Amino acid sequence: MTDAPDPLIQPWILGDLQLPNRVLMAPLTRARAGQPGDVPTALNAGYYRQRAGAGLIVTEATQVSPQGKGYAFTPGIHSTDQIEGWRRVTDAVHDAGGRIYLQLWHVGRISRPELQPGGERPVAPSAIKPDAMTFISADSGMVEVGEPRALETEEIPEVVEQFRRGAVNAREAGFDGVEIHAANGYLLDQFLRSGSNRRTDAYGGSVANRLRFPLEVVDAVVGVWGTQRTGIRVSPTGSFNDMVDEDPVATNAALAVALQTRGIAFMEVVEDSFQGNHADGRPESVIEAIRTGFHRSYIGNGAYNAREARERIREGRCDLVTFGRPFIANPDLPERIRRNAPLNDWDEATFYGGDERGYTDYPTLPDNQAGSA
Ligand code: FNR
């Protein structure tokens, strides 16, 4: 079967959006938003434009509200300036022939009073201090997060409303769709998993209760974007940000069925730890549970290379793959995969914060201008 077509460079219809290939760009925080105001800049637009050859770009996580912010220099989608800044980004990507979804983010307990409106304590499902770090300024280094305040039941609709407004603003900014961030230990994930959710109201306890808030967010976002342009990201077994769930198969089987019923376009699953270390293998039983319950597009993520991505697509384990670090270092990743060309290595020192170095200066193949394919 050596001449079978490479599934990675075959098109795919995601929801109602036609993608030219299945090499998608994963959401990647780069902490280079313009200051003050966490506003996307021309530099950010240039970075995304270079990567417009992706089947789909999912942006870096973007706070839906001031309360949703957990790190210095991450962009928001709650002010007029931010909407205008993102418009520059979406125009640049569309000019280059690309497609781009915004990742909607609320960090919950992964924040610090220094980053919160009024210097207040960050909010979470329960007042449990995670063993986790953040950065609050250019020279803060990594600092520990503290004990959050548990959201009152009556406050939850307002947090759902923050996501709805973020979704509305994303439309205004010219995105093609949105991905709800329910992964990596941030607010929605904190509700989903038993280790961080000890609530005794309708939003905690049973699996159905732990799903309630994330599903209310999904419904609010679908109300803005429709099912075909809404997706979600989960990380069922990731431990980043001190996360644990007593039964990831049960939680995610129920989530998959609920999302299938709602009909959203995709689930993106971080099948791995945040840092892409899958020494223990991918969590096949959870993946199976999700594939069984959810029949729309399944996007795999985590330490994939092209060979493994192809294999898993051929085996029916996933439909598409998002690449994170390879896309940081290779703006023209799909073209390199198509040509079987070597890849640039990434430089971790320039992942977060700084200027164009390690951001827009990774080389493309000599005769490939991003977006020209
Ligand atoms: C990430 N990751 C991430 N995930 C997410 O949902 N939203 C985000 O904003 C970020 N930001 C981010 C920044 C950086 C510098 C890294 C390295 C990672 C996780 C990322 O999307 C992906 O899941 C991992 O990088 C694993 O995939 P790769 O890199 O092995 O393809």
Side-chain angles (χ1 to χ4, degrees):
M1 300 292 283
T2 47
D3 52 0
D6 180 352
L8 283 176
I9 53 169
Q10 298 304 304
W12 184 264
I13 299 177
L14 187 71
D16 62 3
L17 186 67
Q18 175 87 36
L19 312 185
N21 64 62
R22 310 204 205 159
V23 181
L24 277 47
M25 180 173 167
L28 292 160
T29 291
R30 305 303 309 275
R32 285 167 169 84
Q35 302 303 316
D38 301 329
V39 177
T41 64
L43 177 66
N44 304 147
Y47 161 79
Y48 282 113
R49 182 190 182 93
Q50 289 177 333
R51 287 156 180 78
L56 174 70
I57 293 171
V58 181
T59 68
E60 64 208 276
T62 298
Q63 52 260 11
V64 292
S65 64
Q67 185 194 65
K69 176 175 173 175
Y71 302 84
F73 310 120
T74 54
I77 186 76
H78 51 83
S79 77
T80 308
D81 286 351
Q82 290 163 350
I83 296 168
E84 280 169 17
W86 278 119
R87 168 61 77 174
R88 262 200 299 255
V89 173
T90 60
D91 282 348
V93 170
H94 291 149
D95 281 351
R99 296 137 301 279
I100 182 166
Y101 276 35
L102 182 73
Q103 192 185 43
L104 297 170
W105 194 28
H106 190 306
V107 296
R109 67 185 184 175
I110 308 299
S111 186
R112 298 255 312 182
E114 293 90 331
L115 299 171
Q116 290 288 305
E120 287 184 21
R121 262 205 270 176
V123 298
S126 303
I128 301 170
K129 176 189 163 353
D131 179 11
M133 314 279 271
T134 183
F135 48 89
I136 57 176
S137 69
D139 42 32
S140 70
M142 296 303 284
V143 289
E144 264 191 54
V145 309
E147 184 179 302
R149 173 177 75 77
L151 282 162
E152 302 291 342
T153 309
E154 309 75 60
E155 290 179 285
I156 290 185
E158 163 51 23
V159 187
V160 174
E161 176 59 17
Q162 292 173 21
F163 276 90
R164 196 194 64 79
R165 279 197 302 263
V168 168
N169 292 344
R171 279 193 86 106
E172 208 178 317
F175 283 97
D176 299 300
V178 287
E179 178 182 81
I180 298 165
H181 195 345
N184 298 342
Y186 299 109
L187 185 64
L188 271 63
D189 200 18
Q190 290 160 28
F191 272 86
L192 283 176
R193 294 205 250 175
S194 59
S196 43
N197 184 343
R198 304 276 166 74
R199 297 180 72 90
T200 54
D201 64 0
Y203 293 93
S206 64
V207 170
N209 279 358
R210 281 188 273 122
L211 262 46
R212 192 176 310 279
F213 168 68
L215 291 174
E216 287 179 0
V217 169
V218 169
D219 290 340
V221 171
V222 166
V224 176
W225 277 96
T227 53
Q228 301 303 299
R229 297 297 176 104
T230 301
I232 194 167
R233 174 179 249 226
V234 293
S235 56
T237 55
S239 58
F240 180 65
N241 282 329
D242 205 14
M243 294 301 288
V244 62
D245 189 16
E246 65 203 5
D247 191 348
V249 170
T251 303
N252 290 278
L255 179 64
V257 169
L259 294 173
Q260 172 69 20
T261 306
R262 282 165 173 78
I264 64 168
F266 67 86
M267 289 183 74
E268 185 197 4
V269 182
V270 185
E271 300 170 343
D272 213 315
S273 75
F274 175 79
Q275 291 297 347
N277 169 10
H278 59 136
D280 302 332
R282 298 184 187 277
E284 300 297 347
S285 54
V286 179
I287 294 171
E288 194 62 46
I290 292 175
R291 290 293 260 172
T292 302
F294 186 77
H295 307 141
R296 292 165 188 275
S297 297
Y298 177 105
I299 308 178
N301 170 262
Y304 274 99
N305 57 31
R307 183 190 47 75
E308 194 189 1
R310 266 179 213 119
E311 266 170 28
R312 288 186 69 92
I313 292 176
R314 287 202 173 110
E315 289 165 359
R317 300 303 286 168
C318 60
D319 301 312
L320 314 112
V321 171
T322 47
F323 295 86
R325 293 161 298 177
F327 247 117
I328 288 180
N330 297 276
D332 54 350
L333 184 64
E335 184 60 12
R336 285 177 191 256
I337 288 175
R338 196 175 69 75
R339 293 200 219 164
N340 204 18
L343 301 187
N344 305 317
D345 294 328
W346 57 77
D347 173 16
E348 284 187 28
T350 50
F351 276 1
Y352 302 105
D355 53 20
E356 70 281 1
R357 281 167 295 176
Y359 191 56
T360 51
D361 61 355
Y362 284 106
T364 52
L365 292 172
D367 54 345
N368 181 37
Q369 295 305 309
S372 64

